[in-house]
Amino acid sequence: MQNLQIPFHLEQSPESIEQWQLADADIKLFPHFLSTTEADLYFNDLKKHMPWQQDSLNFGGKSVLIPRLQVWVGDKQSRYTYSGLSLSPLPWTPVLEKLRKLVEKASNSEFNSVLLNYYRDGSDSVAWHSDDEKELGSDPTIASLSLGVSRYFQLKHKTKKHLKSSCELGNGSLLVMGKGVQQHWQHQVPKQAEVDTGRINLTFRRILL
């Protein structure tokens, strides 16, 4: 992993950033944050070298495997707990450090951790939720980098039930969820039976230590 050769990264021009219109929220999409060549190299490297594991959650006293693989990486003290699952961070790798710096510059934010999710095909998914755990603070910025096959990303407002939104997050895209998104919206990656290849999603976060 340390010898991965990545082409020179081109900065995003202002016209390549899409301001996603959501009520009560600030959200931006960089559709081509990484080139296809860059994204493919990162995808193949992370798929091969990360210690993917399938964790389980407890529902009504029954242990259920989550429908995806994941890895939690971050600074030493950046423990993360969601849905009763407690994650201790693995150390940053050179590849993830490089991605963190690129994402921090684009999002104008600082992150000390990243959750990597590997959706092996369209049968893997993540259900409706908000990233609003106490470790993230009251109104966190979360940057979501997608590698691999395009998958639908859906949002629904927590109180204004008629408000919904959806898009496809493609290979190399970066979605920056800023003020209000986790407070007022839920999101999911639904199952897609027609998808037969993989996607790796990296959600960069800042755990309050």
Side-chain angles (χ1 to χ4, degrees):
M1 185 182 296
Q2 294 186 12
N3 297 320
L4 181 64
Q5 298 298 310
I6 298 294
F8 180 75
H9 178 73
L10 297 176
E11 297 295 332
Q12 299 287 296
S13 59
E15 59 270 20
S16 68
I17 304 170
E18 298 179 5
Q19 185 73 42
W20 197 342
Q21 298 302 316
L22 282 185
D24 309 319
D26 178 44
I27 187 168
K28 296 182 179 69
L29 176 63
F30 301 71
H32 308 291
F33 178 68
L34 299 178
S35 69
T36 299
T37 300
E38 287 178 296
D40 287 347
L41 286 169
Y42 281 121
F43 175 87
N44 291 325
D45 187 80
L46 294 171
K47 177 183 175 182
K48 180 178 180 181
H49 292 107
M50 295 306 295
W52 300 105
Q53 62 184 41
Q54 189 171 16
D55 292 308
S56 59
L57 301 177
N58 190 289
F59 291 102
K62 183 179 179 181
S63 181
V64 178
L65 290 171
I66 62 174
R68 60 194 178 278
L69 306 182
Q70 63 182 22
V71 181
W72 177 247
V73 172
D75 294 354
K76 190 174 181 180
Q77 302 301 320
S78 58
R79 291 183 60 86
Y80 183 50
T81 300
Y82 75 94
S83 299
L85 181 65
S86 184
L87 302 175
S88 297
L90 296 175
W92 292 96
T93 67
V95 167
L96 292 175
E97 281 278 19
K98 183 169 184 177
L99 286 173
R100 173 167 68 161
K101 290 177 182 177
L102 291 175
V103 170
E104 285 182 332
K105 186 171 183 180
S107 63
N108 195 29
S109 301
E110 293 184 355
F111 304 106
N112 59 12
S113 52
V114 61
L115 180 64
L116 295 91
N117 282 304
Y118 176 31
Y119 301 85
R120 295 160 290 184
D121 56 34
S123 63
D124 280 352
S125 62
V126 63
W128 288 111
H129 70 286
S130 298
D131 297 314
D132 54 4
E133 292 78 18
K134 63 179 182 179
E135 298 101 315
L136 298 173
S138 61
D139 198 8
T141 293
I142 296 177
S144 174
L145 176 64
S146 295
L147 307 172
V149 70
S150 297
R151 291 290 297 266
Y152 285 116
F153 181 80
Q154 300 174 336
L155 297 113
K156 63 180 182 180
H157 200 282
K158 292 181 181 179
T159 57
K160 302 171 184 177
K161 302 299 185 181
H162 63 288
L163 295 181
K164 299 178 181 179
S165 189
S166 177
C167 79
E168 279 193 87
L169 296 180
N171 189 23
S173 65
L174 177 68
L175 183 70
V176 180
M177 295 179 281
K179 293 182 68 63
V181 177
Q182 307 307 324
Q183 284 186 336
H184 301 293
W185 292 80
Q186 289 187 316
H187 56 272
Q188 73 164 355
V189 176
K191 296 181 185 297
Q192 290 180 250
E194 72 279 11
V195 174
D196 59 5
T197 54
R199 169 186 184 249
I200 293 175
N201 176 244
L202 301 89
T203 49
F204 291 87
R205 307 150 187 256
R206 182 164 187 83
I207 299 295
L208 302 181
L209 304 177

